Amino acid sequence: MRGRDQAVDIAGLDGAWNRSWPECPPEARRLRHRFPERWARFHALPEGKRYATSDAEHAEILRRHHALLENLLGDATVGDGGLVAITCSWSATGSPTPRDSTVAATTPRAAHWRSDDLATEPGFPSWWHFYVSAMDLRDPALDRLLLCVADDMTDGVILTEPACAWAVHPYDGGVDVFAEGIGVRDELLSAYPAWLPSTLQGTNGSDSGS
């Protein structure tokens, strides 16, 4: 079913996420705060360039994302499925709202998973509504979604796998990886040293990004 949204086991995903990332919603800033020892940051383009201005640079963004995902997926890289894409809409109430048409076009049959009030100031609710769809590395929808993020047309995207052992947050300019453990994180850092922020803030700091 590559190229088309596949069904996600919502109850299974909910349990898997809560086991892997307890008391933490699928949102990058909170994941960085709660699990800093599992976090690594990589640039999407050479020298930390934020936005692509050519087809070649868009291809490089996709190449880097695919390399990281292939590394994390391991043996699950081959075959259909293997990835869960989380996309978002936002509102001031807990009732789920439709996603922006641009991101909805990449995963049109995504199912609502959960809604969380991620407000940072009392009295100002900020609800995030999370939608999920299954895909694999060869699914054209994956590249469409990644380029949508890279061109700053949506935010809040998380890629994971059914057991939620790891999570990947692409943003315009780079990607945050939350590895299964410190050892896996360190292996990624060693595998792609040229993609790291020059300050090495990808493991412990506040390099730009959502």
Side-chain angles (χ1 to χ4, degrees), residues 44-55:
L45 287 170
E47 300 180 356
K49 183 178 181 181
R50 189 151 195 176
Y51 297 108
T53 53
S54 68
D55 290 343

Side-chain angles (χ1 to χ4, degrees), residues 106-129:
T106 68
T107 51
R109 286 171 289 278
H112 177 254
W113 169 28
R114 57 185 283 175
S115 295
D116 295 89
D117 185 2
L118 304 185
T120 57
E121 297 182 33
F124 294 91
S126 177
W127 284 88
W128 291 49
H129 309 290

